[in-house]
Amino acid sequence: MLLVLWLKDARHGLNMPPGPLQWPVVGSLPSFALIGGKNPLAYLKSLGDKYGGIFSMKLGDHFAVFISDYHIIKEALVKQGSCFSTRPPTAMDAAIRGSSQTRHGVVFTNGRVWQVFRRFAMQSMRDFGVGKKSIEGKLQIEASSLIQQLEKMEGKPYNPNPDTQVAVTNIICAIIFGERYEYGDADFSKIMDSMRDLAQSVQFTDLRSMFGVLSLLPHRENFKRLIAADNHLKTVVKRQIEEHRRTLDDVEDRDIIDLCLRKQAGDGEDATLFNDEQLSHFIADLFLAGAETTATTLGWAYLYMAEHPEIQEKCFQEIYNVLGDRPPTMADRSKLPFVEATISEVQRIRTIAPLSVLHTTTQDATLRGYSIPKGTWVFPMLYAVSADEKQWKQPADFNPERFLDASGDYAKRESLIPFSVGPRMCAGEMLAKMELFIFFTMLLQNFRFSKNSPDQKIDLDPILGITWSAKPQTIQLTRR
Ligand code: HEM
């Protein structure tokens, strides 16, 4: 029987990368379910190690290639970027961003719509201060509000993540809507709930994405939650677009929505592309991509600081010696190498987009001598690169020193790729890095993060949703 299956395996005829046994109809899903079990990512990493950094599987009706080796990821996503940088239609993005012909937004689109909106996203973030001094002030104010909020819970067991999510989302709100919300604001709480549902309701392993035919069936509960959350976010955005249209003046651009409305009022291609429907998806995408990710990373940083008080103390001493009580600016980054190394180590050990966002091939390709047919799903296994023994000594250890050179300066490591690489790499990397640096530094300057009691076990096992987040748990914050 196994021999028959092996002989019938379509990969051999196609010279595709090797991989686990494939069954008729269900492909490699039984291996996933039976061997991968509760920890599919550990299973996938073991396959990456076994097959030399690249392997293939059939997931329902799709051929999929998984890449766990840094050099092969670069070869595919950078060297052959034009072939490996398309997004395939999956049930998840079809449910919220439309069918492949009419897909909206920036994260899941391709071709001209993607090009225009990616360029516009990056340019408009720069226009509103990202990468410049002008956003530093906003980041400092938002971090100060977060500190005031966290102070209320000083000395009590507390989960600082929901408040952190508010602070980070407020930065996106400032850039997109030109306003921030207060903690506890009812409208804002609903936006937060929607974003949490968007991040947690569906996993990449959802069978609806694997078998096209299942998308004909009525949606299950998790998909209903996903759609409801996205609709709520788009409704908030549409209200903001209307309000901005009513109050738009010729004097200044207040935020990204104003810039979008000016494009809409222009002529030619812009006027068609920047229609209201497209804008609400585009802006919902920026929320989805930009808020949960940074807040989740900070959430991991708090837990790792509580787990490693000696590393936290070293960060604090460096901050205290260089800054004293004044808030950090981006110019201070090079003077705080241990802090920067610690942030990098958090991003390495908990790579929050473990499988990046799904890619596909636009034409037949060759990678490391293997054939990759057009339309193959491509999973860049960013978490496996972060845990690769060929790249990192004892990768399971939390050790910021790996990002320092012999003279104690920060040493960039090429294989740290939490933002992915190539034409589809994160469009908000610069903003995320600024947020992580200013928030992390200001929080450590003001609080000590510790366990609730010496025998508390911090749970560092991630939960897999769209991102890899920490389980909700409490720690203690003490004012410095
Ligand atoms: C720690 C924080 C963040 C991490 C780790 C992260 C990581 C990623 C990753 C892995 C991708 C997929 C890349 C690929 O497909 O190869 C991505 C895409 C994207 N990210 Fe981020 N991201 C973060 C924060 C942000 C922020 C603050 C924004 C700003 C709004 C943002 C906007 C985007 C956009 C628009 C895309 C889609 C790019 C495209 O499809 O062309 N991200 N991000």
Side-chain angles (χ1 to χ4, degrees):
M1 168 72 170
L2 290 181
L3 182 65
V4 173
L5 283 173
W6 188 86
L7 289 171
K8 278 175 75 83
D9 189 332
R11 285 175 303 196
H12 299 126
L14 295 173
N15 183 33
M16 283 189 73
L21 204 61
Q22 290 182 163
W23 301 81
V25 186
V26 289
S28 315
L29 289 177
S31 327
F32 238 134
L34 295 174
I35 312 173
K38 285 206 173 97
N39 198 343
L41 293 189
Y43 170 59
L44 291 176
K45 170 148 187 338
S46 71
L47 293 177
D49 294 344
K50 174 172 173 188
Y51 292 109
I54 177 165
F55 61 95
S56 67
M57 280 188 163
K58 191 134 185 268
L59 300 178
D61 24 41
H62 304 275
F63 274 129
V65 164
F66 290 79
I67 314 178
S68 62
D69 177 87
Y70 165 71
H71 298 285
I72 309 180
I73 288 184
K74 272 203 92 170
E75 215 171 298
L77 303 194
V78 180
K79 247 176 141 177
Q80 302 194 53
S82 57
C83 175
F84 278 83
S85 296
T86 308
R87 301 277 187 229
T90 67
M92 189 195 100
D93 50 71
I96 59 175
R97 294 286 173 268
S99 71
S100 50
Q101 287 79 28
T102 58
R103 224 155 343 143
H104 298 294
V106 60
V107 178
F108 302 110
T109 43
N110 294 312
R112 186 73 189 139
V113 174
W114 167 68
Q115 269 172 3
V116 168
F117 278 91
R118 181 173 168 106
R119 203 176 311 126
F120 177 74
M122 297 185 71
Q123 180 59 48
S124 53
M125 279 195 265
R126 268 196 300 275
D127 289 348
F128 287 101
V130 174
K132 301 185 193 149
K133 277 201 89 54
S134 53
I135 197 131
E136 274 175 7
K138 287 197 179 89
L139 289 168
Q140 289 164 352
I141 292 171
E142 211 46 68
S144 300
S145 302
L146 176 61
I147 288 163
Q148 276 172 23
Q149 184 68 13
L150 298 180
E151 236 168 15
K152 296 180 191 158
M153 301 311 290
E154 197 194 348
K156 301 180 191 126
Y158 182 57
N159 176 2
N161 292 7
D163 285 334
T164 305
Q165 175 89 57
V166 170
V168 173
T169 309
N170 256 335
I171 295 294
I172 296 278
C173 285
I175 297 173
I176 296 175
F177 297 161
E179 63 184 48
R180 64 178 296 276
Y181 293 84
E182 286 308 325
Y183 288 81
D185 181 288
D187 274 355
F188 200 44
S189 302
K190 281 197 204 140
I191 299 182
M192 295 290 114
D193 292 347
S194 301
M195 296 215 305
R196 198 196 42 243
D197 275 358
L198 277 166
Q200 292 178 0
S201 50
V202 175
Q203 292 184 6
F204 82 99
T205 44
D206 199 282
L207 289 181
R208 184 177 283 270
S209 287
M210 310 278 177
F211 295 95
V213 67
L214 291 184
S215 35
L216 303 173
L217 298 176
H219 284 307
R220 284 207 335 264
E221 210 39 57
N222 61 339
F223 264 73
K224 286 188 191 154
R225 257 174 69 206
L226 177 83
I227 295 167
D230 192 64
N231 281 342
H232 177 255
L233 201 53
K234 284 187 304 217
T235 307
V236 173
V237 172
K238 281 183 180 154
R239 252 199 338 254
Q240 284 280 350
I241 294 176
E242 277 317 314
E243 181 58 24
H244 277 64
R245 184 173 284 129
R246 223 174 39 74
T247 53
L248 190 68
D249 65 35
D250 289 336
V251 184
E252 63 160 353
D253 292 323
R254 295 163 295 185
D255 47 40
I256 290 189
I257 295 192
D258 274 6
L259 290 183
C260 289
L261 291 176
R262 300 230 192 270
K263 289 265 184 199
Q264 201 175 70
D267 42 41
E269 189 192 36
D270 278 357
T272 330
L273 282 181
F274 283 77
N275 59 64
D276 277 9
E277 186 62 12
Q278 169 62 26
L279 291 191
S280 63
H281 287 271
F282 166 64
I283 289 168
D285 268 2
L286 292 186
F287 266 101
L288 183 59
E292 216 263 335
T293 40
T294 311
T296 301
T297 308
L298 285 167
W300 283 117
Y302 304 153
L303 294 180
Y304 274 93
M305 290 302 95
E307 181 71 8
H308 297 276
E310 69 299 345
I311 292 176
Q312 181 179 185
E313 214 43 42
K314 230 174 143 176
C315 285
F316 174 73
Q317 282 309 328
E318 189 178 71
I319 295 168
Y320 187 74
N321 293 341
V322 174
L323 304 178
D325 288 339
R326 80 166 166 82
T329 66
M330 291 311 284
D332 295 317
R333 211 150 68 133
S334 57
K335 294 178 226 146
L336 298 170
F338 194 75
V339 169
E340 203 179 351
T342 304
I343 297 172
S344 293
E345 181 64 348
V346 170
Q347 288 207 277
R348 183 196 67 81
I349 203 153
R350 287 293 171 260
T351 300
I352 54 123
L355 292 163
S356 189
V357 179
L358 189 53
H359 290 228
T360 187
T361 41
T362 43
Q363 60 200 54
D364 292 348
T366 307
L367 192 59
R368 291 287 159 117
Y370 296 119
S371 302
I372 318 281
K374 174 181 173 177
T376 301
W377 282 2
V378 178
F379 288 92
M381 297 167 63
L382 305 183
Y383 75 105
V385 173
S386 293
D388 187 347
E389 268 124 10
K390 294 194 294 314
Q391 300 292 340
W392 315 95
K393 238 188 248 163
Q394 293 164 325
D397 293 352
F398 183 73
N399 175 17
E401 307 270 345
R402 62 175 96 244
F403 290 99
L404 295 177
D405 65 17
S407 45
D409 289 328
Y410 179 78
K412 187 172 172 333
R413 301 276 305 264
E414 289 301 324
S415 49
L416 178 72
I417 52 167
F419 298 99
S420 187
V421 286
R424 278 317 292 223
M425 74 177 289
C426 177
E429 178 183 7
M430 198 181 284
L431 175 60
K433 284 186 164 164
M434 292 183 86
E435 290 174 333
L436 291 175
F437 177 70
I438 302 276
F439 276 88
F440 182 72
T441 307
M442 282 182 74
L443 285 164
L444 287 198
Q445 197 174 26
N446 284 276
F447 293 109
R448 176 179 290 116
F449 292 80
S450 51
K451 296 179 176 181
N452 296 316
S453 65
D455 53 354
Q456 180 190 357
K457 262 199 86 54
I458 304 262
D459 191 340
L460 295 169
D461 281 344
I463 351 176
L464 180 61
I466 290 177
T467 54
W468 224 11
S469 54
K471 295 189 186 117
Q473 58 200 292
T474 61
I475 49 175
Q476 231 176 78
L477 279 69
T478 319
R479 199 75 160 95
R480 293 273 189 185

